């Protein structure tokens, strides 16, 4: 059991590195240089937390740190942890992973040396205070929950083929945009970014600019609504045209316009004006899910045809 688990850094100075756990041994984490795992940064206390593998159980204990220890987004004093759990200490996120059976055991000096080698590589990629990682390692909802509980300030920059910014104030999401397109609105931008499952993230310093409209919903409520919309979109995905599809009004149109609701007429007008599913989504004031559900109905009733 002891050689079977490790703490993998998925963000922070040692991102990509691993710290193996050993049976009947405690790992003390903090700023102090004589500790087992040394994290030198302002948000980490001199002696911050302790991890113990004993009797097949792995536990983490906060040692009275100033900024707290978090497991899966919850601030903890003492907690049992299991494979896949994520621990936030300062700007480092560590994931408990299972190691392969043939991984050789290393002494403490070798472990620390390998972590420092990782740190040298990482230092060339990021600023000293940046918190970076990959969405494949920590999904956005989990990341935002961690930031919310630990009351982070800053701009969470997320990049794949697009660039998204989520603005945080004391852990609360107050604004969001994609590719600097503020016309989408913060709510729609947030709901779209939450669907991104691949890409890089970086928590940057707070941005002093002010916005005309701010989100006033709690982070938990934003996440719940975005994930609900994501589930509903997946349910109707097979009935929707591709995002880049061209759309046209059916000609001749035999279905009567008088049978349409105001929302359906609005979407029909957007099809006429922009001629693509992406254009309709971007220019509608409604949530993407509402537009998608209307689009499915318009296609079924032969008001709209996909190219």
């Amino acid at each position: 059991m002891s050689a079977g688990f490790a703490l993998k850094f998925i963000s922070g100075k040692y991102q990509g590195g691993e710290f193996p756990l050993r049976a009947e041994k405690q790992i003390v984490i903090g700023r102090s240089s004589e500790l087992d795992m040394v994290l030198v940064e302002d948000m980490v206390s001199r002696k911050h937390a302790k991890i113990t593998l004993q009797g097949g159980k792995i536990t983490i204990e906060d040692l009275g740190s100033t900024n707290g220890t978090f497991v899966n987004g919850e601030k903890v004093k003492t907690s049992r942890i299991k494979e896949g759990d994520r621990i936030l200490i300062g700007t480092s996120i560590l994931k408990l992973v299972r190691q392969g059976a043939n991984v050789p055991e290393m002494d403490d000096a070798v472990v620390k040396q390998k972590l420092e080698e990782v740190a040298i590589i990482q230092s060339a990629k990021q600023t000293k205070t940046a918190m970076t990682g990959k969405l494949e390692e920590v999904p956005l909802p989990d990341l935002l929950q961690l930031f919310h509980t630990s009351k982070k300030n800053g701009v969470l920059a997320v990049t794949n083929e697009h660039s998204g910014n989520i603005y945080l104030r004391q852990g609360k999401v107050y604004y969001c945009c994609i590719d600097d397109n503020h016309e989408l609105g913060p709510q729609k931008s947030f709901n779209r970014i939450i669907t991104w499952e691949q890409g890089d993230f970086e928590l940057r310093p707070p941005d002093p600019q002010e916005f005309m409209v701010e989100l006033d919903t709690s982070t938990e409520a934003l996440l719940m609504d975005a994930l609900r919309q994501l589930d509903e979109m997946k349910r109707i995905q097979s009935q929707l045209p591709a995002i880049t599809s061209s759309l046209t009004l059916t000609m001749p149109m035999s279905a009567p316009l008088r049978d349409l609701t105001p929302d359906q007429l609005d979407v029909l007008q957007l099809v006429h004006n922009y001629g693509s599913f992406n254009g309709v989504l971007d220019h509608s004031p409604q949530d993407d899910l509402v537009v998608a559900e209307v689009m499915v109905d318009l296609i079924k009733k032969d008001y709209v045809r996909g190219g």
Side-chain angles (χ1 to χ4, degrees):
M1 179 73 73
S2 61
F5 289 96
L7 295 168
K8 181 178 181 181
F9 285 83
I10 56 179
S11 84
K13 177 182 177 181
Y14 300 118
Q15 183 186 336
E18 291 189 0
F19 196 106
L21 302 183
R22 296 178 187 169
E24 316 308 320
K25 178 172 170 44
Q26 295 179 343
I27 294 174
V28 181
I29 305 168
R31 279 207 322 267
S32 187
S33 60
E34 78 275 5
L35 301 182
D36 304 293
M37 186 188 295
V38 182
L39 301 177
V40 183
E41 57 174 283
D42 292 341
M43 293 186 67
V44 177
S45 297
R46 192 177 69 82
K47 286 188 177 180
H48 195 106
K50 177 175 66 178
I51 295 176
T52 306
L53 172 53
Q54 190 169 24
K57 297 179 180 179
I58 305 173
T59 57
I60 185 167
E61 178 186 351
D62 183 81
L63 300 176
S65 67
T66 302
N67 293 295
T69 300
F70 302 85
V71 176
N72 297 331
E74 294 186 10
K75 191 172 185 178
V76 299
K77 177 59 179 174
T78 302
S79 176
R80 184 174 174 180
I81 55 176
K82 61 186 184 302
E83 183 180 0
D85 284 349
R86 298 179 180 89
I87 301 162
L88 174 66
I89 295 176
T91 63
S92 294
I93 301 176
L94 301 95
K95 182 178 181 180
L96 184 63
V97 299
R98 189 180 293 274
Q99 290 188 311
N102 298 321
V103 176
E105 186 169 315
M106 296 180 288
D107 62 33
D108 294 346
V110 174
V111 171
K112 289 182 178 181
Q113 180 184 340
K114 286 187 174 295
L115 285 178
E116 290 306 320
E117 290 171 358
V118 169
I120 291 171
I121 296 172
Q122 286 300 316
S123 66
K125 299 179 181 178
Q126 64 188 55
T127 62
K128 193 171 184 179
T129 58
M131 182 176 187
T132 66
K134 290 189 173 295
L135 299 183
E136 294 89 334
E137 291 280 7
V138 51
L140 264 174
D142 293 0
L143 192 61
L144 287 171
Q145 187 61 46
L146 283 171
F147 290 165
H148 176 258
T149 311
S150 55
K151 300 186 182 300
K152 295 286 189 188
N153 293 307
V155 182
L156 179 60
V158 188
T159 55
N160 49 28
E161 65 268 23
H162 296 283
S163 175
N165 287 333
I166 299 175
Y167 295 77
L168 301 167
R169 183 187 296 128
Q170 288 294 296
K172 182 181 182 297
V173 176
Y174 69 92
Y175 193 76
C176 191
C177 68
I178 298 174
D179 296 332
D180 290 325
N181 180 7
H182 296 273
E183 293 183 6
L184 273 181
Q187 179 81 58
K188 184 177 287 191
S189 297
F190 180 83
N191 290 344
R192 289 188 184 182
I193 294 175
I194 287 299
T195 67
W196 298 358
E197 296 179 345
Q198 295 181 324
D200 300 309
F201 71 81
E202 178 182 355
L203 183 63
R204 298 172 179 169
D207 191 322
Q209 71 174 308
E210 297 181 359
F211 303 103
M212 295 285 290
V213 177
E214 289 192 2
L215 295 167
D216 57 6
T217 309
S218 69
T219 298
E220 294 97 327
L222 283 171
L223 283 169
M224 286 180 63
D225 187 56
L227 293 174
R228 177 191 63 81
Q229 291 198 36
L230 176 59
D231 287 342
E232 290 297 309
M233 286 289 278
K234 287 179 178 177
R235 182 180 59 81
I236 63 174
Q237 192 68 49
S238 62
Q239 304 172 62
L240 290 169
I243 193 73
T244 55
S245 291
S246 59
L247 301 173
T248 59
L249 303 183
T250 301
M251 297 294 289
M253 186 180 293
S254 57
L257 291 174
R258 64 175 175 271
D259 291 345
L260 297 179
T261 66
D263 282 348
Q264 290 172 328
L265 285 170
D266 287 345
V267 172
L268 198 69
Q269 184 174 1
L270 291 172
V271 171
H272 175 69
N273 288 347
Y274 299 101
S276 71
F277 188 30
N278 196 35
V280 172
L281 290 170
D282 284 353
H283 290 88
S284 173
Q286 300 280 8
D287 286 338
D288 287 347
L289 176 61
V290 173
V291 176
E293 290 174 335
V294 169
M295 185 64 69
V296 168
D297 204 33
L298 290 175
I299 291 173
K300 282 183 178 178
K301 294 177 178 177
D302 202 30
Y303 289 97
V304 172
R305 292 179 180 172

